[in-house]
Amino acid sequence: MTIELKSGAPSGDIQTAWSRHKFSMQIVNPANKRKYDIIVVGTGLAGAACAATLAELGYNVLNFCFQDSARRAHSIAAQGGINAAKNYQNDGDSIYRLFYDTVKGGDFRAREHNVYRLAETSVNIIDQATAQGVPFAREYGGLLDNRSFGGAQVSRTFYARGQTGQQLLIGAYQAHAKMVAAGGIKMFPRHEMLDVVVKDGHARGIIARDLVTGQLKRFVGDAVVLATGGYGNVFFLSTNAMGCNVTATWRAHRRGALFANPCYTQIHPTCIPVSGDYQSKLTLMSESLRNDGRVWVPKDKKDAFDPKTGKVGRHPNDIPESERDYYLERRYPAFGNLVPRDIASRAAKQVCDEGRGVSYNGRGVYLDFSDAVRRLGKAGVEARYGNLFEMYQRITGEDPYTEPMRMYPAIHYTMGGLWVDYNLMSNVPGLFVLGEANFSDHGANRLGASALMQGLADGYFVAPPCIGNFLAKRKPQPKSTDWPEFAAVEAEVKQRLSTLLSIKGKRTVDSFHKELGLLMWDKCGMARTEEGLKEALVRIPQIRDEFWKNVSVPGSDTGVNQSLEKAARVADFLEFAELMCLDALERRESCGGHFREEFQEEAGEAKGEAKRDDENFAHVAAWEFTGVGQRPNLHKEQLTFDYVKPSQRSYK
Amino acid sequence: MTWLKQFLSSSIGLKIVMALSGLGLFGFVIAHMLGNLQVFLGAEKFNAYAAMMQGNPLLWPARIGLLGMIFAHMGSAAALVLRSNKARPTGYKSHQWLSGSYAVRTMRFGGLVLLAFIVYHLLHMTVGTAHGEFRHCMSDGAGGLTCFAYQNLVSGLMNPAVASAYIVAQVALGLHLAHGVWSLCRTLGLGNPRYDLLARRAALSFGGLITAGNCAIAIAIVAGLVKLP
Amino acid sequence: MDLTLNIWRQTSKDSAGNFETYQLKDINEHMSFLEMLDVLNEQLEGQGKEPVAFEHDCREGICGSCGLMINGAPHGHLPRTTTCQLHMREFKHGDNITIEPFRAGAFPVLKDLVVDRSALDRIVQAGGFISVRTGSAPDANAVPVPKDEADRAFDAATCIGCGACVASCPNAAAMLFTGAKVTHLGLLPQGQPERYDRVTKMVHQMDKEEFGHCSNFGECTVACPKGIPLDVISQMNRDLLVAQLKGRSA
């Protein structure tokens, strides 16, 4: 089957494209809006914002989340801030500059028109959130404050202490609550979407499991919106919440939606390292720590972790200055400890691979504040980083004022996702994909403070008119959950769940998830090689086979069964992981979060840096499902850069 | 008047009833103590004070008002306790108090102790049926009253057992006020971080002063410092 | 370290529950409390037994999903800590730990340690928002907010909706939760038009959910992992009184 991938972005001047496009869109008559039912899955920034806005417009919204409340979605954990081209600081920011920074930061692998629209709507988000009562940080004059963030030379990040994601999500949740009370949104918490129902080529419904009763339920609508987040938990250990999963997008993929650029994953350089194999998740420490902390490892392997004894050599405070390697300052004298996320992460991996890593398993580097304490005093450091230091101390039991922190990179965000056009609709008509779940705006690397921006832009401002346009063109359709398509999908879901329960094997779900995660981290993590990826592509089907033969899922399919929920998610990760490795293998270049060791600059000033191949890989790789274990079909959407000319990034 | 009913039956409305009646009773308790401390000025002054109070045309309205406040205070307390029990039908197997002083935790029990004391105190010092040598006020024949409040008080409290009961009740009252006065400020919306510590200390001091003042009388009588004329 | 756990087990909402005792050996002190429960569940699942159901998601103290009564204190004895951020180094070898669900009539137990906290959502739905339609907002800097007010609003807005305040309150009251939202929105200029309707409606809903009243004991503010101050309750009381004077009703 050939699928023609058309972005549908308007031609002509990019600066007026979105307004021209909005004007060209059809509008549903207010009286007709209530005839449409729209299914929205997910209640994070994108999902809650979209559900609330659609309901305000007059549509009937059916909204689902697997958590006990709409307020728990993982958007809540974002710390740093949200970018917007407000130029309140008068430091030369503009929509065009935010657009430019985002395309460049994404290593020229994003669609220019989408990015421009994102930058354009960013200003409305700040207005909207402020009007909702989001308590952004303010200056003494009562106006909004900004901070600067990686990858930008201007100060355009709005923030609410270290809890910006929480405050923005609560804002969206409140807008959502208002519409639940008004009857515009029917909320289904503790309902997990397990499949999409496609009828006559259109996405028309979902099958969801009521996580309290265990009952499978059918829901029909005129459109289905997935705002279900990223797939970082394929690595088991990530900064994602425990419940984050790929099931919704993967099931949509199996029903025909193309999965784009799954190999683009972002690694955050400063996370608290693993402390043992019981570890369930990783905790991110804000990037801002690198402003004053110095990163180092011992020069001598004797002071590093020794795999033979399982111990680390001398205590970091006993290692004299001359025996420390401040490797970021050494290798990147211009940017020092402030190099971008991907570079800092890879450098940490390299020194640990050399056998100079510290911490419990040799996967850690020191982030030292002793200079900062000397310079600013303990109180000065506390004023800047007090809450982070407290969090670190709580988790590790160590005092970062008196001994260096230990840090290691961790999976943090996934840029890939379901392919969508300029209207955020996948190639399956009626199936819209928002936020981290789609692939659209960040290219191969996301800049800090841009995830919140994209989720809210999609949810509040982009998706609602686009969905309206789709519905206006399609006119109200008959709706029934008695269609054979519903029965067929429900039967498949039921079969899958009862198989999981009937295996009664010897291994727990988590043991499979951990095995997969470790493999993915080794072979498809910070640095990838052809050899490693091929190895992973052999191992993943083996793990999957064993899973389906030997997994132990206690309990039944009625009532609360958290083991069954986990098992169904891990089963999908075991299929998805293969696609991710295949995508990484086929993308024979290094760009953004995707670093192939074979493709790095060999010589000159940029030696060791990522080597993009714009001639052969300036495209979106969108994969079509053909069956489990079958090679998927690759479809390419060529990317053109008419406004921001591709160049190389160097931080030496 | 559905709004009033709705407001007064809401959890915060009931608390406000409790706070306002508590405030009134608190005022009474202060006045009552100041009045009784006049016992140290001697029989003549004290009995004159009693006569002035007894002869006051506002006596009965005040008594009815006080009774009303007691009923409002108790009634709202009872309604809230019932709600509170319903709000947590199953308790914890293990429970630790996180904050809260002793005074906080004895509000309900202390309230019951005070209720029992009020009944006894009325029978003892007002009605006189629980008092062996109680003498009511008499007309002095010139339109005034002759009262024996000093004699009643001293003879009533000379028995160390009775005095002890009074002292226990005053300690209970002090504890009740130490939390109650601060709590009523907060219930009435006067909680402000700047004045909070001040309010807490003020409540504690009032509780202490009331206990000390009232106990001083009982102790002085038992110790023989205040004697029958 | 070795531990003895007494854990509340209950199959479903309507079934009776009971405490079960479990022994755990060689628990690493660097584990979080939830990872310790993961270890227990791995053992149970390995034996084909049903694991202990408990709620958790972000495991970094912000989503508000986790919430266990640990030895009689919500989220354990450490101040300003969620269950997921409590680590086993706070316990000793040989400790006996009792783990119960948050108890309140308004929080029915769904299974083991999982309770239904949707009553809190309904309180927010009753009025815990500012009615602003998407796209209708003025420029964000059009209305300056004094920094001090904004900071106080932020302090109240840090509530994670975990329900620890209800769990710790002797009256199972949701006053700190409701007061936090009333204060957050009521302090901001954007929240003024609906301020008095909001408080009336939210308090009405809170009563309808059969939460208890406030005795100003202050247990909630100590139990609150975000340390939301007790003043928010006083602020709510004041706003409700003013709402009565202004003639607002739910």
Side-chain angles (χ1 to χ4, degrees):
Chain A
M1 186 172 83
T2 47
I3 300 175
E4 208 191 335
L5 294 181
K6 276 211 218 144
S7 78
S11 51
D13 180 21
I14 200 167
Q15 301 193 36
T16 57
W18 174 233
S19 17
R20 284 184 285 117
H21 187 68
K22 272 195 288 188
F23 182 70
S24 72
M25 289 198 283
Q26 291 188 26
I27 288 174
V28 181
N29 174 317
N32 282 341
K33 283 182 180 150
R34 69 179 83 97
K35 294 179 188 156
Y36 292 102
D37 297 319
I38 303 171
I39 291 170
V40 178
V41 187
T43 58
L45 290 178
C50 182
T53 305
L54 288 171
E56 282 168 6
L57 288 167
Y59 300 105
N60 299 314
V61 177
L62 307 172
N63 192 197
F64 300 82
C65 70
F66 67 79
Q67 296 94 338
D68 69 317
S69 160
R71 67 182 293 153
R72 312 247 189 255
H74 194 55
S75 307
I76 208 158
Q79 298 174 353
I82 177 166
N83 288 331
K86 277 286 196 186
N87 193 28
Y88 281 161
Q89 303 300 323
N90 192 30
D91 56 359
D93 198 12
S94 64
I95 289 170
Y96 203 91
R97 187 176 292 279
L98 175 55
F99 156 67
Y100 177 90
D101 287 349
T102 308
V103 172
K104 183 182 168 202
D107 221 354
F108 306 96
R109 290 294 175 265
R111 202 189 273 151
E112 276 191 326
H113 274 80
N114 285 53
V115 179
Y116 194 88
R117 177 177 62 190
L118 176 66
E120 197 178 337
T121 39
S122 68
V123 296
N124 305 109
I125 296 171
I126 302 304
D127 297 342
Q128 183 66 25
T130 303
Q132 286 170 342
V134 171
F136 283 123
R138 288 183 182 266
E139 296 165 348
Y140 281 98
L143 301 179
L144 293 168
D145 192 18
N146 291 110
R147 57 163 66 143
S148 39
F149 233 75
Q153 290 161 306
V154 293
S155 209
R156 64 159 75 99
T157 305
F158 293 80
Y159 66 101
R161 288 188 211 159
Q163 285 144 273
T164 318
Q166 182 202 22
Q167 294 308 317
L168 287 169
L169 184 68
I170 296 299
Y173 160 75
Q174 287 170 190
H176 180 273
K178 176 190 73 179
M179 293 319 296
V180 171
I185 300 175
K186 253 186 113 176
M187 183 63 212
F188 296 89
R190 296 189 195 272
H191 277 68
E192 182 164 21
M193 174 197 139
L194 291 179
D195 222 325
V196 184
V197 178
V198 178
K199 181 178 163 63
D200 305 329
H202 283 72
R204 293 303 307 276
I206 62 166
I207 301 293
R209 182 167 179 269
D210 180 331
L211 300 181
V212 177
T213 63
Q215 200 191 350
L216 291 179
K217 296 180 183 170
R218 304 171 182 186
F219 297 93
V220 65
D222 297 283
V224 176
V225 180
L226 300 184
T228 52
Y231 46 83
N233 269 350
V234 69
F235 293 93
F236 184 72
L237 285 180
S238 78
T239 65
N240 282 7
M242 301 301 285
C244 293
N245 64 80
V246 77
T247 291
T249 44
W250 184 251
R251 289 286 137 192
H253 174 61
R254 290 184 52 138
R255 299 277 166 206
L258 303 183
F259 214 112
N261 301 336
C263 76
Y264 290 162
T265 51
Q266 187 172 68
I267 316 275
H268 196 287
T270 48
C271 296
I272 300 175
V274 173
S275 63
D277 52 12
Y278 51 80
Q279 186 130 359
S280 58
K281 83 151 270 166
L282 297 171
T283 304
L284 181 148
M285 300 296 283
S286 171
E287 216 171 337
S288 61
L289 288 173
R290 285 194 285 142
N291 282 317
D292 286 302
R294 297 179 70 196
V295 180
W296 63 277
V297 288
K299 280 187 181 163
D300 193 334
K301 285 185 191 174
K302 275 190 304 200
D303 290 321
F305 171 82
D306 184 349
K308 280 186 224 113
T309 60
K311 287 202 173 91
V312 176
R314 278 182 292 178
H315 187 276
N317 286 352
D318 298 334
I319 301 176
E321 197 66 22
S322 59
E323 295 176 40
R324 300 175 176 190
D325 178 13
Y326 295 93
Y327 59 91
L328 286 178
E329 295 170 24
R330 173 171 58 80
R331 288 178 53 185
Y332 304 97
F335 277 69
N337 294 299
L338 284 172
V339 291
R341 289 178 178 179
D342 50 345
I343 305 217
S345 299
R346 275 198 296 276
K349 180 181 188 309
Q350 280 162 8
V351 291
C352 293
D353 286 348
E354 286 165 20
R356 294 193 289 141
V358 292
S359 195
Y360 295 90
N361 53 3
R363 297 274 134 203
V365 299
Y366 293 124
L367 179 63
D368 199 330
F369 284 86
S370 50
D371 275 2
V373 171
R374 266 194 295 276
R375 194 174 69 244
L376 304 165
K378 193 185 165 191
V381 173
E382 194 177 347
R384 287 189 194 176
Y385 308 112
N387 59 336
L388 293 168
F389 277 34
E390 194 184 311
M391 186 153 105
Y392 181 85
Q393 184 158 25
R394 194 157 291 164
I395 292 173
T396 62
E398 295 167 8
D399 177 11
Y401 293 105
T402 58
E403 56 184 310
M405 285 185 172
R406 291 169 294 108
M407 286 288 151
Y408 200 66
I411 293 289
H412 173 55
Y413 186 85
T414 56
M415 282 74 69
L418 290 182
W419 182 88
V420 289
D421 63 11
Y422 188 67
N423 294 311
L424 301 184
M425 188 165 82
S426 71
N427 59 307
V428 178
L431 183 70
F432 292 82
V433 191
L434 276 53
E436 193 180 351
N438 73 26
F439 88 104
S440 75
D441 296 355
H442 305 298
N445 177 51
R446 179 177 65 72
L447 288 184
S450 283
L452 302 180
M453 174 171 70
Q454 189 218 342
L456 289 177
D458 286 2
Y460 283 130
F461 299 107
V462 181
C466 294
I467 294 169
N469 179 43
F470 168 80
L471 296 175
K473 285 184 177 157
R474 196 163 143 73
K475 307 296 171 225
Q477 300 286 314
K479 279 183 275 254
S480 166
T481 51
D482 296 330
W483 289 332
E485 286 84 353
F486 271 100
V489 176
E490 188 188 304
E492 274 182 51
V493 173
K494 204 175 176 65
Q495 178 59 43
R496 192 162 80 241
L497 296 179
S498 56
T499 306
L500 285 169
L501 287 164
S502 67
I503 298 166
K504 301 203 183 302
K506 295 258 182 299
R507 282 182 63 184
T508 62
V509 176
D510 274 356
S511 77
F512 284 102
H513 197 175
K514 283 180 186 178
E515 186 181 355
L516 174 72
L518 214 57
L519 179 74
M520 294 300 284
W521 181 240
D522 273 354
K523 310 294 178 197
C524 198
M526 266 189 285
R528 300 149 180 190
T529 63
E530 179 169 341
E531 191 195 352
L533 290 166
K534 284 185 169 160
E535 218 177 297
L537 285 168
V538 173
R539 280 292 297 139
I540 295 165
Q542 291 169 350
I543 302 174
R544 191 167 62 223
D545 282 352
E546 203 205 333
F547 176 86
W548 284 103
K549 284 190 194 117
N550 197 21
V551 72
S552 157
V553 184
S556 72
D557 61 359
T558 54
V560 177
N561 187 342
Q562 294 177 330
S563 311
L564 182 62
E565 294 164 27
K566 267 197 303 196
R569 293 170 194 161
V570 172
D572 287 333
F573 276 130
L574 284 164
E575 292 177 11
F576 167 76
E578 210 176 343
L579 180 69
M580 196 172 142
C581 291
L582 181 67
D583 187 46
L585 181 67
E586 301 264 306
R587 187 166 282 280
R588 299 175 60 76
E589 64 161 350
S590 293
C591 60
H594 171 65
F595 188 79
R596 284 281 299 267
E597 287 185 3
E598 305 92 322
F599 305 102
Q600 43 185 311
E601 297 294 341
E602 303 284 332
E605 209 181 54
K607 186 172 181 314
E609 298 305 328
K611 193 172 168 187
R612 254 188 3 247
D613 178 353
D614 291 334
E615 204 164 310
N616 296 305
F617 289 96
H619 64 248
V620 177
W623 298 91
E624 181 195 356
F625 184 77
T626 55
V628 178
Q630 311 269 334
R631 193 190 153 83
N633 294 330
L634 175 62
H635 303 274
K636 294 178 184 173
E637 181 199 337
Q638 201 58 39
L639 293 169
T640 53
F641 294 91
D642 300 324
Y643 297 88
V644 188
K645 289 296 165 205
S647 61
Q648 207 204 5
R649 303 190 302 159
S650 172
Y651 299 94
K652 295 260 180 188
Chain B
M1 297 297 268
T2 44
W3 70 269
L4 189 64
K5 205 175 137 199
Q6 193 186 47
F7 174 60
L8 291 180
S9 61
S10 74
S11 52
I12 294 178
L14 282 167
K15 277 296 289 189
I16 286 173
V17 169
M18 186 189 259
L20 289 175
S21 55
L23 186 64
L25 292 168
F26 173 58
F28 167 75
V29 164
I30 291 180
H32 189 53
M33 178 187 74
L34 292 176
N36 281 358
L37 282 175
Q38 295 179 60
V39 78
F40 290 108
L41 301 178
E44 202 175 319
K45 285 250 169 77
F46 191 68
N47 283 337
Y49 163 68
M52 185 272 289
M53 294 295 281
Q54 286 286 326
N56 201 316
L58 293 176
L59 178 69
W60 277 102
R63 282 179 168 170
I64 290 167
L66 277 175
L67 217 58
M69 283 194 277
I70 289 174
F71 277 115
H73 204 68
M74 281 178 357
S76 54
L80 287 169
V81 167
L82 288 179
R83 278 177 184 234
S84 171
N85 292 343
K86 202 172 159 196
R88 178 167 295 126
T90 315
Y92 293 108
K93 178 183 176 188
S94 123
H95 177 252
Q96 47 175 289
W97 287 98
L98 304 171
S99 67
S101 56
Y102 187 71
V104 165
R105 276 172 256 157
T106 52
M107 286 305 279
R108 285 180 196 171
F109 179 69
L112 289 175
V113 169
L114 288 175
L115 175 65
F117 171 72
I118 290 167
V119 172
Y120 170 69
H121 182 55
L122 285 176
L123 295 176
H124 191 214
M125 291 289 178
T126 307
V127 184
T129 47
H131 194 305
E133 298 154 45
F134 192 83
R135 292 172 71 192
H136 287 278
C137 294
M138 296 183 307
S139 169
D140 64 358
L145 282 173
T146 305
C147 288
F148 309 96
Y150 185 89
Q151 289 81 350
N152 288 343
L153 180 62
V154 176
S155 60
L157 286 178
M158 272 187 340
N159 179 345
V162 176
S164 308
Y166 268 78
I167 288 170
V168 168
Q170 294 317 306
V171 171
L173 179 60
L175 282 172
H176 203 75
L177 292 177
H179 177 67
V181 171
W182 172 74
S183 178
L184 77 85
C185 291
R186 302 195 66 90
T187 302
L188 295 176
L190 304 176
N192 177 319
R194 175 168 285 180
Y195 308 119
D196 189 64
L197 193 62
L198 200 68
R200 258 182 209 264
R201 285 188 181 155
L204 206 63
S205 314
F206 274 122
L209 279 176
I210 298 276
T211 306
N214 286 338
C215 288
I217 300 170
I219 291 165
I221 292 172
V222 174
L225 298 174
V226 173
K227 291 179 280 205
L228 284 171
Chain C
M1 64 180 84
D2 299 347
L3 299 167
T4 305
L5 306 176
N6 295 299
I7 302 180
W8 180 260
R9 302 299 309 258
Q10 181 172 337
T11 326
S12 67
K13 194 171 173 176
D14 306 315
S15 59
N18 61 286
F19 282 93
E20 296 266 347
T21 305
Y22 303 93
Q23 306 290 340
L24 274 186
K25 291 206 179 303
D26 299 326
I27 290 299
N28 185 314
E29 60 161 9
H30 294 301
M31 281 180 189
S32 72
F33 197 83
L34 295 184
E35 284 166 349
M36 181 273 291
L37 287 179
D38 288 343
V39 171
L40 171 68
N41 280 347
E42 279 282 290
Q43 288 179 11
L44 291 174
E45 278 191 44
Q47 298 159 8
K49 290 184 191 153
E50 278 210 50
V52 178
F54 62 90
E55 269 182 302
H56 61 99
D57 201 23
C58 78
R59 295 206 179 187
E60 49 188 275
I62 195 76
C63 76
S65 296
C66 65
L68 304 174
M69 203 70 178
I70 301 166
N71 283 339
H75 297 298
H77 59 284
L78 211 61
R80 285 188 168 232
T81 305
T82 52
T83 304
C84 61
Q85 294 213 301
L86 180 67
H87 282 69
M88 295 314 292
R89 66 182 77 91
E90 308 296 335
F91 296 86
K92 309 188 297 290
H93 175 78
D95 269 359
N96 211 312
I97 306 176
T98 302
I99 309 171
E100 299 173 74
F102 282 179
R103 295 281 190 197
F107 287 176
V109 174
L110 297 178
K111 182 170 184 168
D112 299 340
L113 305 170
V114 177
V115 298
D116 179 0
R117 288 170 288 191
S118 53
L120 299 181
D121 284 327
R122 288 189 292 274
I123 293 177
V124 174
Q125 284 157 13
F129 46 76
I130 291 172
S131 299
V132 50
R133 224 176 306 108
T134 302
S136 62
D139 185 88
N141 262 352
V143 186
V145 183
K147 184 171 163 51
D148 179 51
E149 303 265 297
D151 286 349
R152 279 175 57 213
F154 181 90
D155 287 338
T158 54
C159 168
I160 58 173
C162 65
C165 48
V166 177
S168 65
C169 176
N171 307 317
M175 293 276 172
L176 196 72
F177 173 83
T178 313
K181 190 49 57 195
V182 164
T183 304
H184 160 209
L185 299 177
L187 281 175
L188 295 171
Q190 290 85 357
Q192 296 311 309
E194 292 165 289
R195 180 172 180 177
Y196 298 104
D197 280 333
R198 178 184 306 121
V199 66
T200 316
K201 287 177 177 160
M202 289 180 79
V203 168
H204 183 65
Q205 186 66 33
M206 185 175 77
D207 284 348
K208 220 164 107 184
E209 301 289 348
E210 302 195 332
F211 286 107
H213 65 284
C214 177
S215 300
N216 294 311
F217 282 23
E219 294 288 292
C220 53
T221 186
V222 183
C224 177
K226 298 295 153 188
I228 291 184
L230 207 54
D231 306 310
V232 300
I233 300 177
S234 199
Q235 176 75 50
M236 172 168 66
N237 295 338
R238 181 159 64 232
D239 280 7
L240 189 72
L241 268 173
V242 174
Q244 298 311 310
L245 298 174
K246 284 177 177 273
R248 308 296 169 95
S249 41

